């Protein structure tokens, strides 16, 4: 769904919406757990070489993929929270959750691309504070019959907002990012953390940081670390990592996933080897289910 220089293969630039619909349907049939949609609104020209130009609006794409499938859960990776008004975003996500019979999730991040914030008139250096307020407002909109909020960036009262999410108390919220602020946000609001730049050897320590926060109440908590994530550096730079290489054997991947599980990871994805197109990709996707997923506790 995106064209990062660090991970992209040539054939991916030709993938169409119809192709992605077929891939999503097959993932649903095979027993994959989740599809995650990345998001940016605009990529400055100087970032295109590393980041690629192709990004979907996450909630729209999630809703479409939910309609094309019947079982699999739809997440984002990530939804840039400070760039979207909480009333609109809360309505969009709740609508998709209601229409999909409760299969929506969302991973919120504060964003990193300053020019994108400038284009949308959002103060980049206030994005953490904006995100905290927006997230609190979204939860109020999802859970209260008479939602009311009085903040610096958003205020509302005397309104009715439906539909509410099907999932209760609301659809799963994960937080993406590696800074202490993101982890504190996860401890306060979320049921999951999506790591990007944290080295795998530091995951257990960072998970302990989350769970040591006074706002963490012992709730069930997912931790996501994709194996190929280590090939993507800050600002989408390319880096080498032997534990993220393509072409690993089944046993190597099983061993690595089990090790990640010991660090506290509950959700992961394996690197994609060189393939020629969508059909070969789907063959590999079936192989992963048969040879990898069945052997990972």
């Amino acid at each position: 769904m995106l064209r990062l220089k660090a991970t992209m293969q040539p054939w991916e630039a030709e993938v169409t919406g119809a192709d992605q619909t077929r891939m999503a349907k097959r993932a649903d049939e095979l027993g994959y757990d989740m599809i995650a949609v990345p998001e940016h609104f605009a990529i400055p020209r100087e970032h295109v070489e590393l980041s690629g130009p192709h990004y979907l609006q996450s909630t729209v794409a999630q809703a479409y993929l939910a309609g094309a499938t019947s079982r699999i859960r739809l997440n984002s990776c990530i939804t840039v929270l400070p760039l979207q008004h909480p009333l609109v975003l809360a309505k969009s996500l709740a609508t998709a959750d209601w229409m999909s019979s409760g299969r929506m999730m969302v991973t919120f991040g504060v964003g990193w691309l300053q020019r994108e914030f400038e284009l949308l008139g959002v103060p980049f250096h206030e994005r953490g504070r904006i995100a905290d307020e927006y997230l609190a407002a979204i939860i109020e909109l999802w859970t209260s019959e008479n939602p009311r909020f009085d903040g610096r960036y958003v205020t509302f009262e005397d309104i009715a907002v439906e539909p509410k999410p099907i999932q209760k108390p609301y659809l799963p919220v994960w937080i993406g990012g590696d800074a202490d602020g993101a982890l504190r946000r996860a401890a306060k609001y979320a049921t999951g953390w999506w790591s990007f730049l944290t080295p795998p050897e530091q995951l257990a320590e960072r998970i302990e940081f989350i769970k040591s926060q006074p706002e963490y109440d012992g709730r069930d908590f997912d931790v996501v670390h994709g194996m190929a994530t280590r090939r993507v550096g800050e600002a989408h730079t390319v880096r080498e990592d032997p534990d993220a290489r393509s072409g690993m054997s089944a046993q190597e991947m099983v061993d690595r996933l089990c090790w990640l599980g010991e660090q506290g990871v509950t959700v992961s994805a394996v690197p994609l080897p060189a393939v020629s197109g969508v059909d070969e990709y789907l063959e590999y996707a079936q192989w992963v289910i048969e040879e990898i997923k069945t052997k990972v506790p």
Side-chain angles (χ1 to χ4, degrees), residues 85-272:
H85 194 284
L87 184 58
V88 176
L89 188 53
K91 170 69 76 169
S92 300
L93 287 164
T95 298
D97 195 60
W98 192 82
M99 294 293 291
S100 67
S101 301
R103 289 192 287 129
M104 292 291 287
M105 306 170 64
V106 64
T107 303
F108 287 132
V110 300
W112 61 271
L113 197 51
Q114 184 168 349
R115 179 63 177 143
E116 191 172 27
F117 281 71
E118 293 169 354
L119 289 166
L120 291 168
V122 178
F124 179 74
H125 296 293
E126 297 177 36
R127 66 193 189 283
R129 293 190 294 273
I130 294 171
D132 286 334
E133 189 171 299
Y134 278 14
L135 184 46
I138 286 170
I139 291 172
E140 172 71 8
L141 289 162
W142 281 344
T143 57
S144 175
E145 292 304 317
N146 297 289
R148 182 182 185 279
F149 196 87
D150 185 13
R152 177 178 177 182
Y153 302 102
V154 60
T155 298
F156 51 78
E157 63 181 344
D158 298 325
I159 59 173
V161 179
E162 292 189 18
K164 303 296 187 187
I166 290 287
Q167 300 174 83
K168 301 302 177 187
Y170 44 84
L171 57 99
V173 170
W174 293 355
I175 298 296
D178 302 271
D180 286 357
L183 272 60
R184 285 192 287 266
R185 193 170 297 117
K188 184 174 183 179
Y189 294 109
T191 58
W193 168 49
W194 198 312
S195 67
F196 295 102
L197 299 176
T198 299
E201 297 77 14
Q202 296 177 17
L203 287 170
E205 173 188 339
R206 300 301 275 162
I207 295 167
E208 180 57 33
F209 177 84
I210 293 171
K211 295 185 176 181
S212 70
Q213 300 303 303
E215 295 87 357
Y216 177 70
D217 57 8
R219 73 193 85 100
D220 290 342
F221 198 85
D222 282 303
V223 176
V224 190
H225 180 83
M227 289 172 61
T229 298
R230 295 298 298 159
R231 288 154 54 185
V232 184
E234 191 169 358
H236 294 163
T237 54
V238 181
R239 63 184 178 187
E240 299 294 329
D241 189 303
D243 293 316
R245 70 189 189 280
S246 61
M248 299 170 70
S249 70
Q251 191 57 54
E252 285 176 316
M253 286 189 280
V254 168
D255 291 345
R256 184 65 177 174
L257 289 167
C258 289
W259 181 83
L260 287 171
E262 292 170 359
Q263 311 315 303
V265 173
T266 61
V267 181
S268 190
V270 300
L272 179 67

Side-chain angles (χ1 to χ4, degrees), residues 43-52 112-113 235-236:
I43 301 297
R45 187 59 59 187
E46 64 268 22
H47 284 280
V48 169
E49 181 184 1
L50 293 177
S51 299
W112 61 271
L113 197 51
H236 294 163

Side-chain angles (χ1 to χ4, degrees), residues 75-87:
N75 201 347
S76 60
C77 176
I78 60 171
T79 295
V80 188
L81 178 56
L83 296 182
Q84 302 174 74
H85 194 284
L87 184 58

